[in-house]
Amino acid sequence: MVKTISFIIPCYRSAQTLPEVVREIADQYGNDTQYEYEIILINDCSPDDTFGKIRELCGKDKRIKGINLARNFGQHAALMA
């Protein structure tokens, strides 16, 4: 039985670092036969192009999902979303 790991990542001013974070997760779990993974990226109303980068990453990999918060709620609330 394959288990799924969910990476839930609150994002704020992360446009430049997100591709590397996603790549590291994919490198670690991409070929693992015991685990599947999903990445949920939550944009906490970042003033840079974080959500644009999230949308780009979602378009490249169906395991990546994006949530765009309407205002900045903070890291804990973003995780709870």
Side-chain angles (χ1 to χ4, degrees), residues 7-66:
F7 295 91
I8 303 169
I9 304 171
C11 304
Y12 187 82
R13 295 185 188 260
S14 305
Q16 299 299 314
T17 58
L18 280 176
E20 179 65 19
V21 170
V22 168
R23 187 190 63 74
E24 287 182 19
I25 293 170
D27 286 351
Q28 182 69 34
Y29 292 97
N31 295 320
D32 195 319
T33 57
Q34 280 188 305
Y35 298 100
E36 292 179 354
Y37 70 90
E38 68 177 348
I39 302 171
I40 302 169
L41 303 171
I42 304 165
N43 181 38
D44 196 14
C45 201
S46 184
D48 65 359
D49 192 34
T50 294
F51 193 62
K53 185 56 70 173
I54 289 171
R55 289 177 15 172
E56 180 183 318
L57 293 166
C58 288
K60 293 178 181 177
D61 190 334
K62 64 181 175 119
R63 296 172 288 197
I64 301 172
K65 298 179 181 45

